[in-house]
Amino acid sequence: MIRFLLSVALLFCSFSIAVAAPFRVVKPGEAVQLAPDEGLLLLAFDTNRLIASTDFVEKDSYKNVFEIEKPAVGMHVYLMVAKAGKYKWSSLELPLSSISLYSGDKTDFEVKPGVFNYPGDFIYRFTKFQSTYHRANRGLAHILWYRKMHPALSEKFPFAYVGKFPDPFPDFLAGENSGGIVEGKTKPIPPTPPINLTTDLLWKGTEILHAWISPNGQYIVEERRKTNDIIHYATGQVTKLDSWINMRDVQWLNEDSFIVTYGSSNASQYVKVKAGADGKITYSATRLFIDGVVIDPQVNNPDYFLYAGESTTTAGRMLVYSLSKNNPASLHEKMTYRNQNAGNLKLDNFIQWITDRDGQIVAGVKWISDKKLMFQKRVGRNFVDIKQIEEDGIWPVALSPDGTRVFAISGEKSAQKELVSANSETLDDIKPVFHMPGKDIVSIIYDENRQPAGIRYYSEGMLVSHYFDDASALIQKRLSKTFPHSNIAVVHKNKTNEKSLVYVDSPMDPGSLYYYDQAGNQMSKLDEQASWLSAFTFSDTKTIIARSKDGLELEGYLTIPAKKSDRPVPLIVVPHGGPIGVRDDLHFDRETQFLAGLGYAVLKVNYRGSDGFGKAFMEAGKQSLGTKIEEDIETVLQKALDTGMIDSQRMCILGSSYGGYSALVSVARWPDRYRCAISVSGVSDRILLFTASDGALDEETQKWMKEYLGDPTAQKEKMISEQPLYMYKKIKVPVMLVHGTDDQRVDYENALRMQYMLTISGNIPVMLTLKGEGHGYESAASRKLAWESIAGFLKENLDAISTTSALPVTQSK
């Protein structure tokens, strides 16, 4: 990649440019004198599609256009002299349309006098689904290009990133002795060792996506990875349904009909089913005139259900209809342009509705502006504002039977997310309904009347379903005895609650869907999540509880390979990504089982900032990246070593996204702890996230990032001291970097900079570049290449057996 960019000077003659008076293009080797109000400006434009033109202008006057006409696919770089001032990219002219870039500040930049100004690469991407643009700081390649193509100018005018947030890397690099290195180097990827369970099998894809049972328990609709099925339970007959891609919801209306909602537009079909004497199912499907969702199936109403869809004439206007459960011919008659709003309500930009026991809409939630929500109460045919919904505030979900209270999930006035009730008129007078100290509710379980019947939360990594009524709690207890050490979730019940669909998985089990008949306490398997894995034996996981230096309770999950060993086994520590608001759990985990299948123990840690452990635990993660988070991992690691099952002399740390950052930080802070580190799509400098990540493109996210990651302007020096990029000399162990070139969340620049600095230090990494990949693996080929390469790297660095048994880890100071 860098070698390619060093040759971009050749692109100057490949297309035409239109340059207005304030700019003049600088040719390679040209001597330049700058006026006091001038600076050098580097423009980099990257496109994957032929376009007509793109240009930028002075921000205030919109004059003095610099236009690139008909640029070829690829990267185009211009060095020019420009007057100091503020500018913005203004438009993209496509073959059949144009994109205006005037609104917002995503493309704004400034030219400062007397320096080499780099505002970031302007990147345009076109796919068959969408057309996008963004700006990313990919300065390393341009620094090296500047040195190579304009050595005299690079000595005279320093390179400066001039985006909204600072980038200290150019100054840092200028102060380091690169020894004439012109690009990062890579060691060869080690050969892949024998692998019993291939990535193609392990990551083949899940089969079961969703399942819904009919009111009488006779039929099951199942969305699978490639098909949609309807099953007649008594006979086991299976009929393929139409391929409604991405089934978002199924709402049974009565014993033999349902509405299926599917696709990104919420297309809907009325489906009526019939089973013959032999159980063979036939069905008919009728497309609803307006795309939308079922608001309330009105289970106690034999004739009608409530449906909402977006108006075909007014953007954002939601239309509500009372539609027949039994007569599909009436669906089109009801949903005509002349009958614009059967509910006779003013509903603009609504995203959620709350109905009473009679199926009447009494309240709802609507958009009021970007990322802002408002809870509204119905008054006549209008809705009035009650309360703005804040992040981690109160989220209404259901109305109490008497209509005086609203049930909601809230962490607004509590130490964790709880089930609460609030006054339905004001959304205040908040009272707890259920809470579990130190555990956040993850979902609510509803009964047939859409009332909260229970809640779910995680405890020591396992999913817990807590029911409020004794009968349901007893059933859950029976299920727990049948499936010990498993995650058990009743995913759907029939109308009488006597028949249920139950999903079960565990650290050793990819998961299965069961049919449970309460009357006979009978359980039968309907489908397996990954039947092709049934021949393999997977490794079990145990929970480790530790306490941090400042008193936080920490959870870790230790997996020991199923294949027994007479000696302590090598360990892979795998920090999760995020880092804030993400967690590990004890569902079946393919990465863990892949590593355990190679003979390694695996340790995962829910460090401070992880989701699910209450507000204080989450808040403790603020600005703890590279410091207390990694100390939490060390604390749990010590507990794992105390088991005596781990060879402390053969450990490696591997992480993706923030986990990659944590891996690099850990080997810099504790260079004698691990034998190697692997960073996959990893951050090397979280300051760079502010200038090279899609996460920093809007003001709200930038505000959150400053609060949790640190402020790169006000806290620049502190943040520099915590980044593995700037601690590169302390990294002594072998490093592997795996990164996609089209990663917009954690830009490929993170890997290139880390590779370059490690090359300078003499610790040349193994660099695996995944061309065209984003933040993760879109293709099976990329996943296979990455994991097989990782397996080879681990074997090369952990294969040698140490002569010591498990040794304690010295705690960080």
Side-chain angles (χ1 to χ4, degrees):
M1 176 61 73
I2 291 177
R3 184 180 293 109
F4 167 74
L5 288 175
L6 290 175
S7 64
V8 293
L10 298 176
L11 294 175
F12 277 105
C13 60
S14 64
F15 48 85
S16 60
I17 55 175
V19 185
F23 318 113
R24 64 180 186 274
V25 174
V26 178
K27 297 179 181 179
E30 178 183 346
V32 174
Q33 294 295 325
L34 297 179
D37 63 345
E38 290 181 331
L40 290 172
L41 172 63
L42 181 77
L43 286 181
F45 175 67
D46 184 5
T47 176
N48 70 340
R49 181 194 187 194
L50 291 171
I51 65 173
S53 66
T54 185
D55 54 51
F56 76 89
V57 298
E58 289 181 282
K59 183 177 178 181
D60 297 327
S61 66
Y62 300 116
K63 296 179 180 179
N64 300 317
V65 174
F66 179 93
E67 183 178 31
I68 308 172
E69 298 177 357
K70 298 181 179 179
V73 172
M75 172 69 78
H76 308 280
V77 178
Y78 303 88
L79 180 61
M80 64 187 70
V81 175
K83 285 188 177 180
K86 295 182 178 180
Y87 298 87
K88 73 183 293 111
W89 288 93
S90 57
S91 68
L92 276 168
E93 298 297 328
L94 308 177
L96 298 176
S97 63
S98 64
I99 301 175
S100 175
L101 309 176
Y102 284 107
S103 61
D105 62 357
K106 285 170 61 175
T107 65
D108 291 4
F109 62 91
E110 183 178 2
V111 172
K112 298 178 180 179
V115 298
F116 181 102
N117 295 270
Y118 168 61
D121 289 16
F122 182 46
I123 302 165
Y124 171 68
R125 289 290 180 264
F126 175 81
T127 69
K128 64 180 180 180
F129 299 110
Q130 62 181 344
S131 179
T132 63
Y133 66 90
H134 69 285
R135 198 171 65 191
N137 175 5
R138 296 177 172 176
L140 175 60
H142 301 300
I143 293 171
L144 302 180
W145 175 87
Y146 184 39
R147 290 178 179 179
K148 179 179 177 67
M149 303 305 297
H150 301 273
L153 293 182
S154 66
E155 293 291 330
K156 189 174 182 181
F157 304 112
F159 187 101
Y161 176 75
V162 288
K164 180 177 180 180
F165 295 98
D167 179 11
F169 180 71
D171 289 341
F172 175 77
L173 182 60
E176 299 295 295
N177 179 13
S178 64
I181 294 172
V182 295
E183 62 180 0
K185 297 180 181 180
T186 178
K187 288 182 178 179
I189 297 173
T192 302
I195 295 175
N196 185 35
L197 179 53
T198 66
T199 60
D200 291 339
L201 274 180
L202 189 54
W203 275 277
K204 183 177 177 180
T206 55
E207 284 293 337
I208 310 166
L209 301 180
H210 298 96
W212 301 266
I213 192 170
S214 64
N216 61 4
Q218 183 177 4
Y219 302 110
I220 300 104
V221 173
E222 184 183 10
E223 182 190 13
R224 306 178 85 245
R225 183 164 57 99
K226 292 184 178 180
T227 64
N228 303 317
D229 298 339
I230 185 163
I231 304 167
H232 186 260
Y233 177 70
T235 64
Q237 289 279 356
V238 178
T239 298
K240 302 298 181 188
L241 294 169
D242 287 348
S243 297
W244 297 308
I245 304 301
N246 185 19
M247 290 171 61
R248 302 166 71 86
D249 190 30
V250 165
Q251 291 282 348
W252 283 95
L253 305 178
N254 49 34
E255 312 300 348
D256 60 3
S257 63
F258 60 87
I259 297 290
V260 55
T261 303
Y262 59 97
S264 59
S265 65
N266 284 335
S268 294
Q269 300 267 358
Y270 171 96
V271 183
K272 195 170 186 67
V273 299
K274 182 179 181 180
D278 60 354
K280 186 175 181 179
I281 299 171
T282 58
Y283 73 95
S284 60
T286 304
R287 173 73 181 265
L288 273 66
F289 179 71
I290 293 178
D291 297 343
V293 295
V294 175
I295 296 176
D296 193 329
Q298 300 191 39
V299 293
N300 297 315
N301 186 336
D303 299 318
Y304 297 100
F305 67 97
L306 210 58
Y307 180 87
E310 187 168 355
S311 169
T312 57
T313 59
T314 306
R317 175 67 51 84
M318 300 305 298
L319 313 179
V320 178
Y321 303 93
S322 185
L323 299 178
S324 171
K325 290 185 176 183
N326 305 297
N327 181 14
S330 71
L331 299 179
H332 289 281
E333 297 171 7
K334 286 279 187 180
M335 305 170 73
T336 64
Y337 291 112
R338 292 188 298 275
N339 189 16
Q340 278 290 288
N341 196 335
N344 197 29
L345 304 173
K346 291 185 176 180
L347 294 167
D348 289 339
N349 300 315
F350 266 64
I351 61 170
Q352 179 181 328
W353 299 265
I354 295 176
T355 56
D356 61 17
R357 300 191 73 174
D358 297 324
Q360 298 299 308
I361 300 174
V362 294
V365 177
K366 67 176 289 185
W367 289 106
I368 55 174
S369 64
D370 184 39
K371 294 191 175 182
K372 301 294 183 183
L373 300 169
M374 179 67 71
F375 176 70
Q376 293 196 323
K377 175 78 174 178
R378 178 178 175 180
V379 179
R381 63 185 295 269
N382 298 321
F383 284 78
V384 297
D385 293 349
I386 298 298
K387 185 175 182 179
Q388 184 169 319
I389 298 175
E390 304 292 342
E391 186 177 359
D392 293 330
I394 186 167
W395 185 270
V397 294
L399 189 71
S400 66
D402 63 7
T404 63
R405 308 287 293 179
V406 172
F407 293 108
I409 293 178
S410 177
E412 190 173 22
K413 296 182 178 180
S414 57
Q416 56 275 315
K417 292 178 183 177
E418 304 177 348
L419 177 62
V420 302
S421 72
N423 185 294
S424 62
E425 298 292 334
T426 61
L427 212 63
D428 58 11
D429 185 27
I430 298 173
K431 297 179 180 179
V433 174
F434 179 88
H435 75 276
M436 179 62 65
K439 309 293 183 186
D440 292 319
I441 289 176
V442 296
S443 64
I444 295 176
I445 305 168
Y446 295 95
D447 64 17
E448 69 278 8
N449 293 311
R450 297 196 166 192
Q451 293 291 296
I455 56 88
R456 292 192 178 101
Y457 62 91
Y458 282 93
S459 178
E460 296 190 4
M462 304 301 294
L463 183 66
V464 176
S465 297
H466 176 91
Y467 287 89
F468 303 146
D469 66 288
D470 293 339
S472 297
L474 179 60
I475 292 172
Q476 188 68 26
K477 188 175 181 180
R478 289 176 182 170
L479 294 174
S480 297
K481 287 184 177 180
T482 304
F483 301 102
H485 194 53
S486 297
N487 302 287
I488 305 165
V490 176
V491 295
H492 204 218
K493 291 184 176 183
N494 76 327
K495 185 177 179 179
T496 61
N497 292 330
E498 294 176 327
K499 297 174 173 61
S500 308
L501 298 179
V502 182
Y503 185 79
V504 181
D505 82 322
S506 74
M508 301 178 68
D509 178 8
S512 296
L513 182 68
Y514 294 85
Y515 187 101
Y516 178 65
D517 189 339
Q518 179 183 343
N521 191 28
Q522 294 181 336
M523 179 80 71
S524 56
K525 184 183 290 188
L526 289 174
D527 202 357
E528 292 183 63
Q529 192 66 276
S531 58
W532 55 90
L533 296 178
S534 58
F536 296 90
T537 299
F538 293 104
S539 303
D540 201 3
T541 303
K542 62 178 291 186
T543 301
I544 294 176
I545 304 297
R547 193 163 293 278
S548 70
K549 290 181 179 180
D550 51 357
L552 294 177
E553 185 175 274
L554 307 170
E555 275 186 13
Y557 310 123
L558 178 63
T559 302
I560 300 296
K563 186 176 181 181
K564 301 299 182 182
S565 172
D566 296 332
R567 298 179 59 85
V569 294
L571 174 72
I572 314 298
V573 177
V574 185
H576 67 67
I580 309 299
V582 179
R583 65 164 296 151
D584 284 318
D585 53 47
L586 292 184
H587 290 288
F588 185 78
D589 184 77
R590 284 163 170 76
E591 292 184 0
T592 296
Q593 296 300 338
F594 179 81
L595 294 169
L598 297 175
Y600 305 119
V602 179
L603 177 65
K604 295 195 169 186
V605 178
N606 281 319
Y607 46 72
R608 67 188 65 213
S610 298
D611 188 38
F613 299 91
K615 188 181 298 182
F617 195 84
M618 179 84 75
E619 295 290 303
K622 285 183 178 178
Q623 301 191 28
S624 294
L625 290 73
T627 54
K628 292 182 179 180
I629 284 177
E630 282 60 43
E631 290 165 14
D632 288 347
I633 295 170
E634 286 289 301
T635 297
V636 178
L637 175 59
Q638 175 67 64
K639 277 279 189 177
L641 290 170
D642 288 345
T643 65
M645 294 184 287
I646 306 301
D647 185 344
S648 65
Q649 301 302 301
R650 291 195 294 157
M651 300 192 300
C652 185
I653 184 165
L654 180 163
S656 300
S657 196
Y658 177 80
Y661 175 96
S662 187
L664 294 171
V665 165
S666 295
V667 293
R669 291 186 62 183
W670 300 285
D672 299 325
R673 178 77 75 248
Y674 301 98
R675 284 194 182 182
C676 59
I678 303 171
S679 173
V680 181
S681 304
V683 180
S684 64
D685 176 11
R686 67 180 192 266
I687 298 176
L688 186 60
L689 291 177
F690 286 84
T691 61
S693 172
D694 59 1
L697 296 181
D698 64 79
E699 294 288 342
E700 286 294 321
T701 309
Q702 290 170 13
K703 181 180 178 181
W704 181 93
M705 289 173 65
K706 288 180 183 179
E707 183 179 1
Y708 280 89
L709 276 62
D711 187 329
T713 302
Q715 300 172 290
K716 184 174 71 172
E717 294 305 318
K718 175 181 180 296
M719 292 182 72
I720 287 174
S721 70
E722 298 164 349
Q723 311 312 314
L725 182 67
Y726 301 102
M727 293 189 282
Y728 75 98
K729 291 179 181 177
K730 296 180 179 180
I731 299 176
K732 305 297 184 182
V733 300
V735 172
M736 182 176 187
L737 304 171
V738 182
H739 219 112
T741 57
D742 286 358
D743 189 341
Q744 293 188 28
R745 180 57 47 85
V746 179
D747 199 274
Y748 182 52
E749 179 78 2
N750 283 269
L752 289 175
R753 291 187 180 187
M754 197 74 237
Q755 177 197 23
Y756 191 80
M757 301 314 295
L758 289 173
T759 300
I760 289 176
S761 72
N763 183 12
I764 298 173
V766 172
M767 178 76 161
L768 176 59
T769 295
L770 302 176
K771 187 171 177 58
E773 282 290 354
H775 196 58
Y777 309 114
E778 292 293 329
S779 73
S782 292
R783 178 181 287 110
K784 177 181 175 67
L785 174 61
W787 279 108
E788 289 184 354
S789 300
I790 288 170
F793 183 80
L794 290 173
K795 180 176 176 59
E796 182 176 80
N797 289 285
L798 294 179
D799 201 41
I801 299 175
S802 68
T803 57
T804 61
S805 59
L807 299 176
V809 170
T810 304
Q811 290 291 291
S812 57
K813 297 180 179 180

